[in-house]
């Protein structure tokens, strides 16, 4: 679990740096940072997405996963979790704020940052493979590398979207922590093809985050999260034929 805690710490530290940096810049510069973050996110997404082995699996996973996620309203539930965390923090600090149009916007930004950061830091092969390596072989190289990358992305995300980015460390702790603890059980069933399709589908989700940051289209990214699990299921089914 050491590697997971390191990953969480780098995200928190990166977020704090980003928040401090954001307070010292103008709205115009903030827009520039958000655009840059969007471009970088799209590039990272494309790098992962082009690792697919079957375009059919990628297509079916995204379409079916998007439909299921919309039906279950995953995006709304994760955003709701982000707002709940913010509400608990406000309640704990005993700071009462009058709800204005501006404060409602801040509520959205916190939850939005939590959602997008959680997706960005948790999907992808490095989170999965790194957790397995850490759990089985005590090899922390991949997770430590991921931690550095996540830390720098947290700086960019936090400066563009706010403190919700730091709380994505909760998602990392739960997701990668469980993968690390269960690595011995899960690892024998994970094939290279399965990992590639999961990474490609996750890359497509990261591209969606980038599109949102660029303001090109409002995509409810979390609604497509079931696509990652469906990609695994389709690889398993394909193996029987």
């Amino acid at each position: 679990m050491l590697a997971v805690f390191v990953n969480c710490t780098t995200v928190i530290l990166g977020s704090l740096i980003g928040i401090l940096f954001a307070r010292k810049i103008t709205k115009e510069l903030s827009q520039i940072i958000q655009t840059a973050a969007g471009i970088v996110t799209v590039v990272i997404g494309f790098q992962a997405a082009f690792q697919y082995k079957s375009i059919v699996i990628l297509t079916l996973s995204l379409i079916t996963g998007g439909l299921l996620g919309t039906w279950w309203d995953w995006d709304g539930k994760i955003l709701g979790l982000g707002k709940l965390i913010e509400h608990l923090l406000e309640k704990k600090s005993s700071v009462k704020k009058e709800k204005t149009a501006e404060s409602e916007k801040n509520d959205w930004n916190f939850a939005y940052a939590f959602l997008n950061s959680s997706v960005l830091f948790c999907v992808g092969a490095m989170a999965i493979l790194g957790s397995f390596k850490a759990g089985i072989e005590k090899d922390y190289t991949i997770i430590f590398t991921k931690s550095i990358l996540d830390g720098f992305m947290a700086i960019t995300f936090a400066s563009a979207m706010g403190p919700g980015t730091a709380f994505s460390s909760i998602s990392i702790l739960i997701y990668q922590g469980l993968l690390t603890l269960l690595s011995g059980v899960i690892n024998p069933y994970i094939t290279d093809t399965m990992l590639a399709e999961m990474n490609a589908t996750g890359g497509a989700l990261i591209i969606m985050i980038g599109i949102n940051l660029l303001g090109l289209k409002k995509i409810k990214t979390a609604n497509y999260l079931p696509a990652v699990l469906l990609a695994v299921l389709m690889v398993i089914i394909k193996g029987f034929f």
Side-chain angles (χ1 to χ4, degrees):
M1 290 292 289
L2 171 64
V4 179
F5 291 129
V6 170
N7 201 167
C8 292
T9 302
T10 57
V11 168
I12 293 171
L13 290 176
S15 299
L16 291 175
I17 294 171
I19 292 167
L20 291 173
F21 178 67
R23 289 176 178 175
K24 298 180 180 180
I25 62 177
T26 63
K27 186 176 181 180
E28 182 180 0
L29 290 177
S30 181
Q31 287 295 324
I32 292 173
I33 293 172
Q34 183 162 331
T35 300
I39 293 295
V40 172
T41 305
V42 168
V43 171
I44 293 172
F46 272 117
Q47 285 181 327
F50 280 120
Q51 294 182 32
Y52 68 85
K53 300 293 184 182
S54 170
I55 191 64
V56 174
I57 289 179
L58 178 60
T59 303
L60 289 176
S61 296
L62 286 174
I63 293 174
T64 309
L67 291 172
L68 289 174
T70 301
W71 181 29
W72 295 327
D73 191 23
W74 280 30
D75 192 272
K77 288 180 172 62
I78 296 177
L79 280 174
L81 177 60
K83 290 186 177 182
L84 175 62
I85 292 172
E86 183 179 26
H87 175 72
L88 291 174
L89 289 173
E90 289 177 349
K91 187 176 181 180
K92 186 176 181 180
S93 62
S94 300
V95 177
K96 294 182 180 180
K97 297 190 298 184
E98 185 178 343
K99 288 294 182 179
T100 62
E102 182 63 26
S103 66
E104 286 295 336
K105 180 181 177 182
N106 289 337
D107 285 346
W108 170 260
N109 286 343
F110 184 98
Y112 187 70
F114 172 76
L115 185 155
N116 284 290
S117 301
S118 295
V119 174
L120 177 66
F121 297 145
C122 291
V123 301
M126 291 188 81
I128 301 168
L129 187 58
S131 297
F132 288 166
K133 286 274 188 180
I136 298 172
E137 303 174 16
K138 306 302 179 185
D139 182 353
Y140 305 133
T141 306
I142 295 177
I143 289 295
F144 284 164
T145 303
K146 177 181 179 293
S147 299
I148 295 171
L149 296 173
D150 288 353
F152 280 105
M153 284 303 297
I155 294 174
T156 310
F157 264 48
S159 63
M161 295 187 294
T165 304
F167 286 86
S168 64
S169 58
I170 298 173
S171 303
I172 295 173
L173 179 62
I174 295 172
Y175 178 69
Q176 289 183 191
L178 285 174
L179 284 178
T180 301
L181 293 173
L182 297 174
S183 57
V185 178
I186 301 174
N187 186 55
Y189 303 99
I190 301 294
T191 64
D192 291 340
T193 300
M194 193 179 295
L195 197 61
E197 297 300 349
M198 290 173 70
N199 203 32
T201 308
L205 268 63
I206 292 173
I207 293 172
M208 294 178 190
I209 295 173
I211 291 173
N212 283 336
L213 287 171
L214 292 171
L216 300 177
K217 181 180 176 63
K218 181 66 180 72
I219 303 174
K220 294 184 176 181
T221 311
N223 283 345
Y224 290 85
L225 283 172
V228 179
L229 298 176
L230 286 174
V232 174
L233 181 60
M234 289 182 187
V235 170
I236 294 173
I237 294 172
K238 185 180 177 182
F240 288 107
F241 296 97

